[in-house]
Amino acid sequence: MSHEYSIAIHGGAGAMSKGKLSPEQEEDIKNVLKGIIEESLKHLSEGQSALDVVQTAVNKLEDCPWFNAGKGAVFNHEGKHELDAAIMCGKTLEAGAVSGIRYSPNPINVARAVMENSPHVYLGGEGAEKFAQDCGLPEVDNQYFSTDMRYQQLQSALSEKGVVLEPTTNDYKYGTVGAVAKDKHGNLAAATSTGGITNKQYGRIGDTPVIGSGTYANNLTCAVSATGHGEHFLRHVVGYNVSARMQFAHLDLISAAEHVVFQDLPSTGGSGGLIAIDKEGNITLPFNTEGMYRGWGSSIQPAQSKIYK
Ligand code: ASP
């Protein structure tokens, strides 16, 4: 059955062993995710564009300290925060991406501004910050992103490895956020925002802001937002990989996404997951880790959220 509109969000995938979070914390996270889905469904039912809805959903996730994006982003090896984000419109294939953001509280808004107010797709580092300033977007001190939980995670990563950088299956590595949607007008959009990986090297960029890797949308096929060990997601060109399997190999959404998550990524040791929606509004949320913070809903499916399998 076709869904007039649909939305899915994630707050990262990883080895989230049951018992690490208290039942209250789990409930809190699930409620945040479900609340964002309910609000997004309302906006979609009122006719808002998929692009606006994914941006608003990601803003909420960026502002929530539980997730590794915006407030609550992980620390890099220097004890600082460098954030990446991307957004893409499936109707026009317009896209905006930023990396190495240190002072913009909502990097996805900078990515959207790049898409709309610049002739470019991707701005990095100081240029991206300067652009955000020129657009009049808000600025914060880099410490705004810091939380105790992420600081402790950096300390354990440092004591475990000394220096960077091979992410293990430890749960403190991940937590990126993302959203995909199909709107009433039949358009798809995707958005992803992240602090990257705990203890990452200065200047490291993962898959999140790379169009076709961590973020991709095309009305012909699907919208995808990924989360996991970015180096592998880059090498498997995850977002476009799902889309290409649908477009050229004529796989359906679920088969295409599952092929990438359960065959391609594990073939090089890549862990994580993705959320994707096709042009009929079907939703899939596969992951090859113990858990993925996720929520979803549509015109015919009430809002739901889950952490584990
Ligand atoms: N994919 C992100 C990165 O490698 C991390 C994550 O999804 O948690 O930067």
Side-chain angles (χ1 to χ4, degrees):
M1 202 192 308
S2 183
H3 307 245
E4 193 186 11
Y5 52 85
S6 318
I7 169 92
I9 58 175
H10 68 78
M16 307 148 168
S17 347
K18 279 191 184 169
K20 281 226 161 167
L21 294 171
S22 69
E24 293 73 32
Q25 289 172 324
E26 286 186 13
E27 261 331 279
D28 187 31
I29 293 173
K30 282 197 283 183
N31 286 337
V32 169
L33 294 166
K34 194 167 169 208
I36 294 172
I37 294 293
E38 283 165 350
E39 201 179 309
S40 303
L41 286 174
K42 182 167 171 292
H43 292 151
L44 287 165
S45 75
E46 291 163 356
Q48 268 197 28
S49 71
L51 201 57
D52 285 346
V53 169
V54 293
Q55 182 180 2
T56 305
V58 166
N59 278 162
K60 302 259 171 216
L61 292 160
E62 285 176 331
D63 293 344
C64 175
W66 273 121
F67 306 110
N68 170 20
K71 177 88 190 159
V74 297
F75 286 84
N76 68 9
H77 189 62
E78 276 77 30
K80 297 273 190 280
H81 308 278
E82 290 186 323
L83 288 69
D84 307 329
I87 189 162
M88 184 163 188
C89 170
K91 180 182 177 193
T92 60
L93 301 187
E94 286 173 304
V98 288
S99 55
I101 292 287
R102 286 175 294 164
Y103 308 114
S104 293
N106 294 99
I108 201 70
N109 295 351
V110 189
R112 177 84 186 256
V114 170
M115 174 176 143
E116 279 173 0
N117 306 328
S118 90
H120 307 298
V121 167
Y122 193 163
L123 297 179
E126 281 175 21
E129 295 290 0
K130 171 84 174 56
F131 175 77
Q133 269 174 4
D134 292 347
C135 292
L137 291 169
E139 270 186 339
V140 289
D141 192 273
N142 192 251
Q143 281 172 2
Y144 159 83
F145 301 107
S146 304
T147 58
D148 275 357
M149 176 177 79
R150 297 297 179 196
Y151 184 72
Q152 294 312 327
Q153 291 172 347
L154 174 65
Q155 299 316 308
S156 0
L158 288 171
S159 65
E160 194 184 275
K161 286 270 171 194
V163 193
V164 225
L165 209 201
E166 188 49 40
T168 65
T169 51
N170 290 332
D171 56 358
Y172 53 75
K173 302 292 183 185
Y174 306 132
T176 292
V177 309
V180 290
K182 178 205 166 192
D183 64 28
K184 274 187 161 180
H185 320 286
N187 295 320
L188 300 175
T192 318
S193 182
T194 190
I197 290 183
T198 299
N199 196 25
K200 66 183 179 180
Q201 187 176 315
Y202 177 76
R204 178 264 188 191
I205 300 167
D207 60 309
T208 299
V210 178
I211 298 302
S213 210
T215 308
Y216 189 68
N218 186 336
N219 275 8
L220 286 180
T221 52
C222 61
V224 181
S225 170
T227 176
H229 183 177
E231 280 67 13
H232 292 272
F233 283 65
L234 283 165
R235 291 155 64 191
H236 291 286
V237 200
V238 162
Y240 185 71
N241 191 335
V242 176
S243 171
R245 285 179 191 284
M246 294 176 72
Q247 189 174 358
F248 306 120
H250 307 294
L251 294 189
D252 62 31
L253 177 79
I254 293 176
S255 313
E258 290 190 347
H259 192 285
V260 174
V261 171
F262 299 120
Q263 294 191 46
D264 290 345
L265 284 166
S267 72
T268 58
S271 60
L274 61 82
I275 54 172
I277 287 182
D278 69 11
K279 56 188 191 234
E280 273 80 45
N282 296 306
I283 302 168
T284 190
L285 311 96
F287 52 96
N288 62 29
T289 48
E290 277 176 56
M292 181 167 80
Y293 297 120
R294 61 204 188 278
W296 68 98
S298 79
S299 47
I300 53 175
Q301 257 190 314
Q304 303 182 52
S305 60
K306 244 178 138 176
I307 300 178
Y308 310 105
K309 286 192 175 133

